[in-house]
Every structure is written in C-alpha cells, then in structure tokens.
Amino acid sequence: MRIARNAAATLFCAVWLFPVYWMVNTAFKPYGDILSATPRFLPFPFTVANFADAIGKPGFLHDLGNSVLVTGAVVVVAIVVAFLAATALTRFRFPGRRGFLIAVLVVQMVPVPALVIPLFLSLKSVHLLDTFLGLGLTYVALVLPFTIWTLRGFLQGIPVELEEAAMVDGAGRGTVIRRILLPLVLPGIIATSVFAFITAWNDFLFAYVIMKDQSGYTLPVWLVSFSTSTGTDYGGLIAASTLFALPVVVFFALVQRRLVEGMTAGAVKG
Amino acid sequence: MTPVAGAEPPPRRRRRPLLPYGLLAPAAAVLALVLGYPLARLVVISVQDYGLRSLFTGTVGWAGLANYLAVLGSPDLGPVLARSIGFCAALMVGTLVIGLAVALLMGRLGRRMRAAVMFALIAAWAIPNVASTLVWQWLFQPVYGVLNWLLSRVGVLGDLTQHDWTTSAFSAFALVWLLVVWQSVPFVALTLHAGLTQIPRSYYEAAAIDGAGPVRVFATITLPFLRPVLGLVTILSVIWDFTVFNQIWILTQGGPSGQTTTLGIWTFTTAFSKNSFGQGGAIAVVSVLLLLAMTAVYVRRLVRSGETL
C-alpha cells in the first residue's frame, strides 16, 4: 500500500511539475534547441539570451513597472480598507452589520466577466478609462469581499479582552489597534495580501479592456499582445513568462507556511 | 466567538456610535461604486440600445426587451448554453475528483512525499494564469510542442507531431480543460487537505477499534466533517469554471468558427467586437441569473446562516 501511495504521489508530482519544468527548460535553451523537432529535455548548452531578449523587447520593462505600481497600490489599499472594515465588523455591534456581511457574501458570487461591460462604460463616463486609478479601483473592489471575509475570521480569533485590558490601562483606540491588534493579525494580513497580490498581478481581462493605450499596458497584456504580433519567438516569450511568474513564485515560497495555516483556519469556519 | 455578542454592550462603545460606520465607509464605498453600481447598470444597459454610436455621442435610446429577444432568438444561444454548462460540469468534476484524491493521498504520505506534493501544488498555483496559458500553447504547439512529441512516441493516438489542437472543437476544449484543471486542483486540494487535518484523530481510532473498513470510515467520518469545506470549494469551482475566460480567449478566441464560444466569450465578443453593449449586457444578465440559479441553494443557506453571523 505504501509503495502504491508513493507511486501515485510521484506520478502526480511529475505531471503537475512538468509544465513548470518545461517553461524553465525552454527559457534557458538556445534558439536552435527550442525549435527542434526532437525536444531536448535538459537546457544544455545553457543560455540566458532569451531573458536578455525578453527584457530588451520594447515595452517589457515599462509594462513591468506598470504592473508593480498597480499591484503594490492595490495590495496596500485593499489591506487597509479591509482591515478597517473587519475591525468594525468584529469589534462593534451596530444596525446594518448583518446586512453588510450578507452583501459581502453575495457580491462574491457575481461572475467577474459580467462586470466587464458596465465597468468599462462607467469608467468611461467618469473619464477613468486608461488610468491606473480606474484599474486599481477595479482590483480593490474585486479583492475586497474575500479580504474582508478572511481578515474578519482572523480578528474573531483574537480575544477582545486584550484590547480592553490595554484600554483600562489608558491606551487610546489608535494605540490599541497599532500595538495589539495589528501584530496579532499579521498572519491574516499576509494571507490576504497574497490573494490581493495575485489577483492584481495576474489579471488580464480588466487590464485588456480598461487600459487601451499601450503606455498603460500591464505585463499580462504585454505578454499576450507580444505572442500574437510576433508569433513565433517562443524563447523570448517563455523567458518573459518565467520572469513574470518569478515574483509570485518567490512570494508564495516566502509565505507558504502562513498561507496553508491561513487556509486551515479558514477551513474550520467553512 | 463574537466578543460583543449577547450581553449588554459596554457603555464606552455607545459613546461613539458612528465609529463603526466610519471604519466601514471606505469598503462600503468601493464595493457600492465598483461592484454594486456596475451590476445595476448592467441591468439597465441590457434594456438599452447601447452601441458604437452611443459610445461617442453619449445618447442612448431604450431598447425594451429587444436585446433579450435577440439573444433568446439567436441560433447561437442553444449551443453556447449547452457548451458553457457542459464545459463547467466537466471542469468541476475533474477538479473536485482529482483535488479530493490528492487531498486524501496527502494525509497518508510520509513527510517528504507530502512536502513534494505540496511543492508541486504551490508551483502550479503560483504560475500566473496568462503565463501558464502561454506555456500550454507552447507545450501543445504543432511541430515543436513537447507533449505532441511525447504522445506520438506513446503512439496510442497516432502521429500527433503536426497536430494543431485548436482546429477542432473537441480537442480545443480538451486543451483548455487540461489547463484549467491543472490550475485549479491546487486550491481545491490544499483547502480540502486543510479541512481533513481538522478532523480529530480520535474518531479514526474509535472507528479502527470498531473494525470499520475504509469505505465506511470515509462515509461516516471523513465526508460529514468535510462537508462544509467541500461545499465551499464546489461552489467556488462552479463560479470559476462557469466564467473561465482568459484560457479560452488566449488559446482559441472562441474558435474554430465559434465552436468554443462559451457565455463569457459570447458576452465579450458581442460587446467589444460587434460593439453591441446592450446585447452583450443581456447575455451577461442571463449568465448571472443562470449562475444564481445554480448556486441558489448555497446562497440561501449562507443568507440563513447570516442570522448567527
């Protein structure tokens, strides 16, 4: 039985890792080895020419900058806004609290592609098409239901007595949030920022529709337009995809333990 | 666990009754303006004559139910609906079956093997959607695609080295299916694994003493405990699988000759290629309603459990 289980796990790993391996393998292969009818399974001889090629392509660095700017802003804004909301929802009891929670749950059910048309037209009428503000606001709204919900779960787990004790000792509400709540809720903040980061970094559809001007392209849009216009430079394209995936992989690797912890905490509450 | 539930709230919380609203205001504003308003506007657009001209002049006429009649009367509707639902079901079943199998497997592996599976899941999950779609294109590329080469070597399907997977509807869907399942299994497997680790070991020990077989243990202990988490990943899978867009758009653009056009693609091309935002809006409203119908039981349960939120 043990052998069968290990064999199944090995097979799963092989199948699931193969595309990743093939991406990295292709990215490091010389041009002639990429386009060969018999594939080479190891990147020897080895080259970084594809990466240089990708970075040298018009727009890559510029659009990378756009992605970093938008994603960074979205993560910060979404976390702050969600943290404030989650604090209100867990530390106060007020009329409308339940209604808000249900609204957050239901909004999560809305299929994202259905929002593309009205968002496009709404942003157009307030002159926010082709602006980072318009794109950033869209992403913040997309991640808010989930981030509020997750942070609320984490805040619920922190005993309110800790804050009350500090307030008895004369600390103001601001101090309590900064010195007590924030450090305790940090794992939750990390888990939710991963989600916000990935949503903004990976989005193609909204960036494609909202940022019509080439100067506003983010990396996903650059990648796709690059693949169709030049067509066949797979070396550069795959190297660019690898570079694009790298920050997410690093981020995931760094927070992996926290992420799985966060999912476990979330799973209990169903 | 709600700390302020039950008893009379302490007096100092009464002194500033506006504070919670202030804390909630930014979130409420963004949600209302960027999700709520567009949703309402979607319904309005769907009964308007919103086309290319309105985009430039800003004047829009009312269309009444004309957009809906056009959509419902379109010969494309039937095939698109069947395709969307069938594809969603195929994706959902594939993701859940593989995800649950991997989650169950993870619980029975040694430390190292489990770490390896976890690594494979996180790696596949972390590769951004667009990047993995482009890698997929490359894996199955005619002439140079490594998987075409491997499949030809195995030989069951004949020589596939020249095969272009996007030229027939069936193989194009197979291509997208493999990609989406590959991408969505990690979330499902990790969530279910997290759920499984919450089941107290003592239940299994008691079952072992009573001599229960693996099927019985699964049906009477694992499944009931896992049900809320299973419900959550099922509903999320339905929503995501029903609205898959990037992968289809990048790989096939809905082709060949519209044969991989799902509701999402149809909405998009009607609005942005044919510049008929009204009709696109009508299709989007129909898909929202369809999705609501599919998730109604779950939403109802959520709203009802809202009483104890």
Side-chain angles (χ1 to χ4, degrees):
Chain A
M1 267 320 270
R2 181 163 198 96
I3 293 170
R5 285 200 293 263
N6 283 343
T10 310
L11 179 71
F12 176 80
C13 289
V15 172
W16 248 252
L17 284 175
F18 187 79
V20 183
Y21 152 69
W22 201 251
M23 175 174 86
V24 177
N25 180 32
T26 304
F28 284 109
K29 270 196 276 193
Y31 187 72
D33 284 354
I34 292 175
L35 296 182
S36 88
T38 321
R40 296 182 65 98
F41 283 84
L42 288 172
F44 302 117
F46 174 98
T47 178
V48 290
N50 296 316
F51 291 98
D53 184 31
I55 292 168
K57 283 265 188 302
F60 179 84
L61 288 175
H62 176 264
D63 297 353
L64 172 73
N66 287 347
S67 275
V68 171
L69 174 83
V70 174
T71 306
V74 166
V75 170
V76 172
V77 172
I79 295 300
V80 170
V81 171
F83 179 71
L84 295 179
T87 306
L89 292 168
T90 53
R91 295 303 188 254
F92 297 91
R93 197 140 262 254
F94 52 93
R97 179 175 155 279
R98 199 170 84 85
F100 185 84
L101 276 171
I102 291 175
V104 166
L105 275 180
V106 173
V107 155
Q108 227 163 354
M109 302 279 161
V110 174
V112 171
L115 288 171
V116 174
I117 299 170
L119 252 174
F120 172 80
L121 296 176
S122 303
L123 289 174
K124 184 177 160 42
S125 52
V126 290
H127 304 290
L128 282 179
L129 270 191
D130 263 329
T131 65
F132 290 119
L133 180 63
L135 189 66
L137 273 178
T138 305
Y139 293 158
V140 170
L142 289 184
V143 300
L144 265 186
F146 183 85
T147 47
I148 292 175
W149 200 252
T150 315
L151 280 178
R152 174 180 167 268
F154 277 96
L155 279 175
Q156 270 179 337
I158 301 171
V160 76
E161 288 76 19
L162 287 175
E163 295 149 58
E164 285 175 348
M167 278 168 45
V168 168
D169 290 345
R173 201 172 273 284
T175 318
V176 170
I177 290 181
R178 232 181 17 247
R179 304 278 296 274
I180 297 179
L181 225 46
L182 223 44
L184 285 173
V185 84
L186 202 63
I189 288 187
I190 292 172
T192 40
S193 59
V194 174
F195 178 79
F197 176 85
I198 288 173
T199 306
W201 185 258
N202 291 2
D203 170 71
F204 164 74
L205 181 56
F206 287 98
Y208 184 53
V209 171
I210 294 173
M211 307 308 268
K212 276 295 167 203
D213 193 272
Q214 207 155 14
S215 67
Y217 277 9
T218 53
L219 262 191
V221 182
W222 180 87
L223 275 172
V224 173
S225 57
F226 172 56
S227 95
T228 50
S229 60
T230 6
T232 40
D233 179 13
Y234 272 98
L237 180 66
I238 298 298
S241 301
T242 312
L243 289 175
F244 174 55
L246 200 60
V248 191
V249 176
V250 170
F251 201 42
F252 257 70
L254 287 176
V255 301
Q256 191 243 86
R257 202 170 293 260
R258 296 283 197 197
L259 190 70
V260 176
E261 263 172 38
M263 290 176 80
T264 314
V268 197
K269 287 164 200 111
Chain B
M1 272 308 281
T2 318
V4 288
E8 186 81 352
R12 67 167 178 282
R13 290 185 200 283
R14 278 208 197 129
R15 226 182 289 150
R16 285 192 280 177
L18 287 179
L19 184 58
Y21 295 106
L23 293 173
L24 221 49
V30 175
L31 288 178
L33 287 177
V34 190
L35 291 180
Y37 175 74
L39 255 187
R41 183 146 183 205
L42 176 67
V43 179
V44 174
I45 292 166
S46 72
V47 292
Q48 279 179 329
D49 180 19
Y50 214 122
L52 198 54
R53 200 153 45 92
S54 337
L55 210 53
F56 289 109
T57 59
T59 50
V60 191
W62 293 100
L65 291 177
N67 292 324
Y68 287 95
L69 292 177
V71 170
L72 296 178
S74 161
D76 293 337
L77 179 74
V80 169
L81 273 184
R83 226 175 268 145
S84 302
I85 294 172
F87 191 48
C88 173
L91 283 173
M92 199 190 82
V93 169
T95 310
L96 288 178
V97 168
I98 298 175
L100 182 60
V102 172
L104 289 170
L105 182 66
M106 276 168 88
R108 289 143 195 271
L109 290 172
R111 275 184 60 145
R112 281 199 198 155
M113 227 33 207
R114 181 163 60 233
V117 171
M118 193 94 91
F119 173 74
L121 290 171
I122 297 260
W125 195 11
I127 308 288
N129 196 305
V130 168
S132 43
T133 309
L134 294 173
V135 169
W136 223 253
Q137 216 166 32
W138 170 233
L139 286 171
F140 290 96
Q141 223 247 344
V143 186
Y144 301 118
V146 63
L147 286 177
N148 286 358
W149 182 85
L150 277 175
L151 286 172
S152 306
R153 270 307 182 81
V154 175
V156 184
L157 300 167
D159 182 15
L160 284 172
T161 45
Q162 307 292 324
H163 184 69
D164 184 348
W165 290 69
T166 59
T167 51
S168 100
F170 181 78
S171 69
F173 267 129
L175 189 69
V176 178
W177 185 88
L178 285 171
L179 170 61
V180 178
V181 168
W182 180 79
Q183 290 174 324
S184 6
V185 159
F187 172 80
V188 172
L190 287 172
T191 309
L192 290 177
H193 172 65
L196 285 170
T197 58
Q198 300 297 311
I199 304 175
R201 292 234 59 88
S202 53
Y203 284 84
Y204 289 113
E205 283 154 16
I209 291 168
D210 291 346
V215 176
R216 209 182 147 76
V217 169
F218 182 76
T220 54
I221 302 175
T222 312
L223 209 55
F225 261 100
L226 211 53
R227 191 157 290 148
V229 189
L230 211 50
L232 179 77
V233 294
T234 307
I235 214 75
L236 288 175
S237 295
V238 171
I239 297 174
W240 292 335
D241 293 339
F242 192 63
T243 55
V244 165
F245 181 86
N246 292 1
Q247 295 90 333
I248 302 180
W249 184 252
I250 296 169
L251 287 176
T252 72
Q253 301 233 338
S257 51
Q259 287 182 78
T260 57
T261 297
T262 54
L263 274 169
I265 304 285
W266 199 29
T267 309
F268 190 81
T269 48
T270 306
F272 292 98
S273 309
K274 285 166 58 189
N275 286 304
S276 176
F277 293 96
Q279 265 186 44
I283 303 172
V285 170
V286 170
S287 17
V288 173
L289 291 178
L290 211 61
L291 194 59
L292 276 179
M294 291 197 277
T295 55
V297 184
Y298 189 78
V299 174
R300 241 187 75 189
R301 208 189 314 148
L302 275 183
V303 171
R304 206 180 285 161
S305 76
E307 279 153 27
T308 56
L309 284 174

